[in-house]
Amino acid sequence: MTQPIVSVVIVNWNGRHLLGECLDSLAAQSAGDVEIVVVDNGSRDGSAEYVREQYPGVRLVGLPENTGFAGGNNAGIAFAKGKYIALLNNDTRADTDWLTNLLRDAEAGPRTVGMWASKILSYDQPDVIDNVGLLLYPDGIGRGKGRLEKDRGQYDVPGEAFFPSGCAGLYRKEMLDEIGLFDAEFFAYADDVDLGLRGRLAGWECRYVPSAKVYHKYSSSSSAHSPFKAFLVERNRIWVLFKYFPLELVLVSPFFTFLRLAVHLYGALSGQGASARFTEQHSVLGATMILLKAWGAALAAVPAICRQRRAFSPLRRISRRELYGLLCRYRISAREVALKE
């Protein structure tokens, strides 16, 4: 088989009801020479059989158990043949020219660019932004840029992004071969932050392509306010912090975490943001217990995380000053983290 220009990797877990529209939108892409890889994460709803019967041109990777977003994508990327790897959530519909516009920017731009962010819009409200790339809070937690803003054209100019959301991003295979794939220990959430930040530290750049549009059914493949998600988000952001942040930022990060949690508490008590939706279902005490559990799990793994930090050190190509510049330029506030859905 000759090398395709791009391989699209879709991770699926019990998402048969979502796959049809997603795969149909890929079949309608204007870009030619596209390989589609579906990784089925041990589904029990007949997803694998559905893909095999209804989409014979799709390459199916069946895993015996759920390895999460990170492990599933790693399996798909290892199987894929493309010069570029596009990641796409199963709960999306891609615009006909999504890949064409990403690839046009990739092929025309410098080889120092290793990642491309799409313009991701809400499926149910296509005039509302899901995200246009990711931002980072000073304690390591990531958040979509432009999340829930009305799309008024404010993000219609192509340019630099920090790194893409794993929901719909393009990656140069050469970059992945150099820096490695997703950290499978993350399982899900913040794994795209981990990979994107690793790429930026290794000197790779990221571009935002507003004409590359995808429509996302937010958290259709997982619960938006589940305890498991809250645990993973909090644990994994600490791992990101210890793996990549300068030591002085690690030491002051508890201040930023305290500030963020104070705003979360305000949101829970005033009925605003994701914290309010979470505590409506699980209570403030439940949220506190999840935080304590996540902190314990994160800190128990710090020795292993520090070994990963040292192992990655030879690949760091940007200076501390350049890193501070990125963290300042793409910083998000505690209010934006805590008081938005």
Side-chain angles (χ1 to χ4, degrees), residues 1-13 19 22-24 26-27 29 33-41 47-48 51-52 55-63 69 71-90 92 98-99 166-167 169 173:
M1 179 180 178
T2 58
Q3 183 184 37
I5 184 69
V6 61
S7 298
V8 184
V9 177
I10 302 165
V11 175
N12 174 76
W13 180 64
L19 282 170
C22 179
L23 292 174
D24 286 345
L26 289 177
Q29 290 294 298
D33 197 20
V34 177
E35 176 188 52
I36 303 171
V37 179
V38 170
V39 180
D40 187 67
N41 249 336
S47 290
V51 172
R52 194 176 291 116
Y55 298 91
V58 170
R59 308 190 75 188
L60 179 67
V61 179
L63 302 180
F69 180 87
N73 272 307
N74 285 350
I77 294 168
F79 188 80
K81 307 295 184 184
K83 176 182 176 183
Y84 299 97
I85 303 294
L87 304 184
L88 187 65
N89 275 17
N90 64 350
T92 60
W98 173 57
L99 287 173
C167 170
K173 184 62 163 52

Side-chain angles (χ1 to χ4, degrees), residues 17 26 30 34 100 119 181 216 230 232 243 261 274 292 327:
H17 61 294
L26 289 177
S30 58
V34 177
T100 294
K119 184 176 189 179
L181 305 183
H216 182 212
L232 291 176
K243 286 175 77 172
L261 293 179
L292 293 174
L327 293 175

